[in-house]
Amino acid sequence: MSSIRTPTEIVLVRHARSVPPTADGPDEFTRPLTTDGLRQAQELVTALTEPRPTAVWSSPYRRAIQTVQPTADALGLPVRTVMELREWDDGLAFTEVWERHYVRSWADLCYARPGGESLEQLSVRAVEAVRTLVRRHPGRVVLVGSHGTFICRALAGFGVPVSWTTVRQMPMPAVYRLRFTDPSTGPEMSGWT
């Protein structure tokens, strides 16, 4: 007789509205949420505490941490950070014309600019980061603060069809719940915004 395992749920949260990047900063690590984004993070608390997370992880980028911090505080949990949850390293210095570079990357998932990672490499990193959390917290709910391209490429790595349009249309914040009954297989997924 086989026992039924309690699923592990990973709740991926794209950060709330953040200060846009500019040529003179702040950089990716320190770019914060806007006043509206801080309000959005507070408004997420009820929805994000409902599944009763037992751990809160985040990208080390300030905007991701700020998005999950109010929920972590409400739960009495620390926000732990890990580099593997960071946004895509697109290899671009600040530019006003970034969109054409992104379109090219989405058209050729193996393309990487010097010093950056390809979207295919990001998918590998994102899937492994999620699987690591599943293995680390079996049968638990884990809240994860992250980023739009990271989330889309994690979903792609688990076989969910995504495109450049998916990223462009993803709101800030956005929440995706991935339920794993077996860490070696893909998740069941539901999302809400």
Side-chain angles (χ1 to χ4, degrees):
M1 180 182 221
S2 65
S3 63
I4 298 174
R5 279 191 191 162
T6 302
T8 303
E9 191 168 319
I10 304 295
V11 181
L12 295 172
V13 182
R14 183 189 190 184
H15 62 80
R17 193 168 320 285
S18 58
V19 170
T22 62
D24 47 344
D27 66 18
E28 284 298 280
F29 278 92
T30 60
R31 191 157 56 89
L33 296 182
T34 62
T35 301
D36 186 45
L38 292 169
R39 179 191 52 76
Q40 290 174 321
Q42 287 294 332
E43 291 173 352
L44 283 173
V45 172
T46 300
L48 295 180
T49 57
E50 178 273 321
R52 310 305 285 160
T54 59
V56 181
W57 288 86
S58 180
S59 156
Y61 293 3
R62 184 176 180 194
R63 61 193 183 274
I65 296 168
Q66 286 180 306
T67 300
V68 295
Q69 189 70 61
T71 301
D73 292 345
L75 293 166
L77 297 171
V79 177
R80 293 181 277 184
T81 62
V82 63
M83 281 295 288
E84 286 76 12
L85 297 172
R86 74 191 182 281
E87 181 58 298
W88 174 38
D89 180 0
D90 59 22
L92 286 173
F94 176 79
T95 176
E96 297 282 347
V97 292
W98 56 269
E99 191 164 356
R100 68 183 166 99
H101 298 288
Y102 279 43
V103 169
R104 178 177 179 188
S105 292
W106 279 89
D108 178 1
L109 298 176
C110 294
Y111 172 71
R113 281 169 286 284
E117 67 186 333
S118 71
L119 287 174
E120 185 58 37
Q121 289 169 319
L122 173 58
S123 285
V124 170
R125 171 167 60 86
V127 165
E128 183 53 32
V130 169
R131 286 196 192 284
T132 296
L133 292 175
V134 170
R135 289 188 298 268
R136 187 169 186 162
H137 301 280
R140 306 285 186 189
V141 177
V142 181
L143 181 61
V144 179
S146 195
H147 309 270
T149 308
F150 176 95
I151 292 170
C152 282
R153 294 313 307 167
L155 296 177
F158 289 120
V160 176
V162 296
S163 66
W164 170 234
T165 303
T166 309
V167 178
R168 297 291 291 161
Q169 294 177 349
M170 185 187 289
M172 286 186 262
V175 180
Y176 295 84
R177 293 171 73 160
L178 309 179
R179 179 169 294 161
F180 293 82
T181 53
D182 179 344
S184 64
T185 63
E188 299 167 16
M189 188 194 94
S190 64
W192 80 89
T193 58

